Amino acid sequence: MLSRQSFTQKVGTGFGVAVFLIAVAGAVGALSLQHAGASGFTVAVFIAVAVLAAAITAVIAFLLTRELGRQIGTAVGRVQVSSAELEAAAGQQANGALEEATAMSEVTTTIQELLVTSRQISDSTQRVAAIAEETAAAARSGESTIDQANVSIGVVRRQVDLVVHHMLELGQKSQHIAAVLEIVSEHAEQTNILAINATIEATGAGESGRRFAVVADEIRKLADRVAVSAKEIRVLITDVRSAVNTTVMATETGSKAIDAGSSQFGDVAASFKNIQDLVSATTEAAREIELSTKQQTTAVEQVNVAATDVAQASRATEASSSRTRLTASQLASLSKDLLQLVSAKAPG
Amino acid sequence: MTVETADLAELRHAFDFAFAAPPAPWVEHLEDLLMVGVGGSPYAIRVSAISGLFADRRITPVPGPIPELLGVAGFRGSIVAVYDLGALLGHGRSSQPRWLVLDSGSPTMGLAFDTIDGHLRTPFASIALAPSTGGAHGAMSHEVVETAEGVRPVVGISAVRAAVEERTKKFDHTRKR
């Protein structure tokens, strides 16, 4: 590298030599005129011209050197400005590449998490599909059970109808028994009246009617017992009829409950069918989700690879930009030195 | 053996025994009574004071001298005037008395009442004079009998008959005037 001081010294030396040569040419010419003859005059002129030419050459060289220094300074100034701009641009590019590499690193991390999540979703969807198939099987089993229960309810319904029929027959027979018992009671009452009147007649017959009075008394007692038994039977028949009515009402209530239950079983069967259809749709949807998720996982894996590549490229760009900035910095420093060197040598 | 079968066997045994046993001696100091319901109150009627007991006899309403007369009914070819026993005893007119007894007087008089509660053979000692309540109604039931269910007034059939005859005479006397 040409230092500023040596450059100035050399330019100054060139200028001094030129002045000295001009002075020497003048002195030589003068001396030659004083000490030479005519031939000598020619030599002296020649020497003076030579010295003068050398002086003019030196002046021209000085002027050329100054112009050249100025142009070089201008070019070096431009190089310095460009180097600074290049350095700044390289710095910005390095920073951007660094930020981009950092962002891509974060993106890569996020994509990896997304990849894990996608795989979990895929696994969950597989489990959902399996559970949906099990649920569909359970719904089919429930529908079959409902059918069997309907058959059983039909049997129970027929048995209940039979019970109601027998109970109604029992109630009718109880009514017949009550009617017959009413006749028995009527006979007992009439027998009692007859016995009392026999007692009255026996009492009126005096001594001769006493034995008849005993018989009449026994008949009356018998009628009383029959009447008491008839009352007890009437109470029992009333209880039986009440029980029959209660049983009929209970069985009718049960029959209605069975009807309602049968209807509800129909609803339950329809619900099971609906569940089965919905579960089938769920299974289909789960399979589609599983397939989409797998595709999504593959795509995410590809994106992850691409993002990793981009991050690596960003880091390479950041490194290259750093090197460019360093080179630009060195170029700027060199331009500055050169500019100072040119500025110091150039006159004026 | 069920309870019903045991009751039936007891009934059959009692019936057979009544005809197998020797006739019971006639006890002079026993009184036969009819337990009746009159106007919702319990009464007793001596069997010895009546000549017959009937139920559900048709009574033909006829105008009469006293309002207690329900009408007339036929008994073995005889027309008998039937009176409301409840009205005569001061309980008011019965709606439709079902039972009817004939007294043993002449002419025969019928007395209608609501219910028969049963027959009672009781010692004379269980029949006593009732505390005097005064009035015509008290005179027609001046005795009471003690039963297992409580004390019942005993309707004096002769006193009832006397009261009816007296009121009928008063009516006839008033009409002749």
Side-chain angles (χ1 to χ4, degrees):
Chain A
M1 180 183 289
L2 185 61
S3 68
R4 180 185 172 188
Q5 186 176 2
S6 61
F7 181 77
T8 306
Q9 283 176 352
K10 286 181 178 178
V11 172
T13 302
F15 181 73
V17 169
V19 172
F20 174 72
L21 289 176
I22 292 172
V24 170
V28 170
L31 286 177
S32 299
L33 289 177
Q34 286 177 357
H35 296 289
S39 58
F41 180 73
T42 303
V43 174
V45 169
F46 178 75
I47 292 169
V49 169
V51 171
L52 182 62
I56 291 169
T57 300
V59 170
I60 290 169
F62 171 73
L63 292 176
L64 285 174
T65 300
R66 192 178 61 180
E67 181 62 24
L68 184 60
R70 191 173 63 247
Q71 289 180 358
I72 290 172
T74 302
V76 169
R78 288 177 183 172
V79 170
Q80 189 177 15
V81 171
S82 298
S83 297
E85 290 176 353
L86 180 61
E87 183 180 2
Q92 289 178 356
Q93 187 177 8
N95 290 333
L98 183 60
E99 290 176 358
E100 185 179 351
T102 304
M104 287 311 296
S105 178
E106 292 176 356
V107 169
T108 303
T109 303
T110 304
I111 286 173
Q112 286 174 352
E113 292 175 355
L114 181 61
L115 192 60
V116 172
T117 304
S118 297
R119 285 171 181 158
Q120 288 177 351
I121 290 172
S122 179
D123 294 341
S124 299
T125 307
Q126 285 181 348
R127 287 199 298 274
V128 168
I131 291 170
E133 287 181 356
E134 291 177 0
T135 306
R140 285 191 293 273
S141 175
E143 194 176 358
S144 173
T145 304
I146 288 295
D147 290 340
Q148 294 175 2
N150 260 331
V151 172
S152 300
I153 281 179
V155 173
V156 172
R157 176 61 197 267
R158 286 191 290 276
Q159 294 294 328
V160 167
D161 289 343
L162 200 59
V163 168
V164 170
H165 178 69
H166 288 321
M167 279 294 151
L168 291 175
E169 280 189 345
L170 183 60
Q172 290 175 351
K173 288 179 180 175
S174 298
Q175 286 181 342
H176 293 160
I177 293 173
V180 173
L181 186 65
E182 196 66 29
I183 295 173
V184 171
S185 298
E186 182 75 19
H187 288 171
E189 186 182 87
Q190 290 177 356
T191 303
N192 202 358
I193 293 169
L194 190 62
I196 290 173
N197 283 324
T199 302
I200 292 168
E201 294 296 334
T203 303
E207 188 67 25
S208 59
R210 288 182 179 176
R211 293 183 65 182
F212 180 68
V214 173
V215 175
D217 192 46
E218 292 300 329
I219 293 172
R220 183 188 54 74
K221 288 179 182 176
L222 182 61
D224 280 345
R225 288 182 178 181
V226 172
V228 170
S229 297
K231 281 184 181 176
E232 291 176 353
I233 293 171
R234 188 178 294 115
V235 170
L236 291 174
I237 288 175
T238 303
D239 291 344
V240 168
R241 291 180 64 183
S242 175
V244 166
N245 290 335
T246 304
T247 304
V248 169
M249 290 176 64
T251 47
E252 284 181 351
T253 304
S255 181
K256 289 179 181 175
I258 287 172
D259 288 342
S262 181
S263 174
Q264 288 172 351
F265 269 127
D267 295 342
V268 171
S271 297
F272 269 122
K273 184 70 172 62
N274 194 18
I275 288 171
Q276 198 174 337
D277 294 341
L278 292 174
V279 167
S280 297
T282 303
T283 305
E284 189 65 25
R287 284 175 181 162
E288 290 178 0
I289 291 171
E290 181 186 357
L291 182 60
S292 300
T293 307
K294 283 181 178 176
Q295 292 175 352
Q296 185 180 9
T297 303
T298 303
V300 170
E301 285 174 350
Q302 293 174 355
V303 170
N304 186 30
V305 171
T308 304
D309 292 343
V310 171
Q312 288 177 353
S314 297
R315 282 193 290 272
T317 302
E318 190 265 337
S320 175
S321 299
S322 295
R323 286 194 298 272
T324 301
R325 184 174 60 179
L326 180 60
T327 303
S329 176
Q330 291 173 353
L331 182 60
S333 177
L334 183 60
S335 299
K336 188 176 179 181
D337 291 341
L338 184 58
L339 184 62
Q340 285 179 352
L341 182 63
V342 173
S343 297
K345 189 65 182 174
Chain B
M1 182 180 290
T2 62
V3 177
E4 289 76 11
T5 309
D7 290 344
L8 183 60
E10 182 186 354
L11 187 65
R12 181 177 292 121
H13 175 71
F15 184 79
D16 293 340
F17 180 76
F19 291 97
W26 186 258
V27 182
E28 293 289 347
H29 56 277
L30 292 180
E31 182 72 52
D32 287 320
L33 295 172
L34 274 181
M35 305 292 107
V36 299
V38 180
S41 299
Y43 282 91
I45 297 175
R46 292 176 193 272
V47 172
S48 60
I50 61 176
S51 61
L53 171 68
F54 303 92
D56 300 323
R57 283 303 178 100
R58 183 182 176 186
I59 300 171
T60 303
V62 294
I66 59 176
E68 290 82 359
L69 177 64
L70 293 175
V72 295
F75 293 93
R76 297 176 182 175
S78 302
I79 301 298
V80 175
V82 180
Y83 292 90
D84 186 341
L85 182 58
L88 290 171
L89 293 176
H91 292 293
R93 288 287 293 264
S94 301
S95 58
Q96 280 184 333
R98 185 187 171 211
W99 294 91
L100 187 152
V101 292
L102 300 180
D103 76 338
S104 54
S106 180
T108 304
M109 178 181 67
L111 296 172
F113 53 92
D114 300 319
T115 58
I116 286 274
D117 298 334
H119 172 270
L120 178 65
R121 178 167 287 166
T122 184
F124 285 145
S126 63
I127 301 174
L129 289 173
S132 177
T133 56
H137 298 152
M140 285 185 279
S141 56
H142 65 284
E143 289 178 320
V144 293
V145 60
E146 187 175 352
T147 67
E149 292 81 20
V151 175
R152 284 175 178 254
V154 178
V155 178
I157 297 296
S158 57
V160 172
R161 180 182 185 85
V164 170
E165 288 177 350
E166 183 181 356
R167 293 180 62 181
T168 304
K169 284 178 183 176
K170 280 184 180 178
F171 178 78
D172 290 342
H173 184 67
T174 304
R175 193 172 61 178
K176 285 177 182 178
R177 281 186 178 180

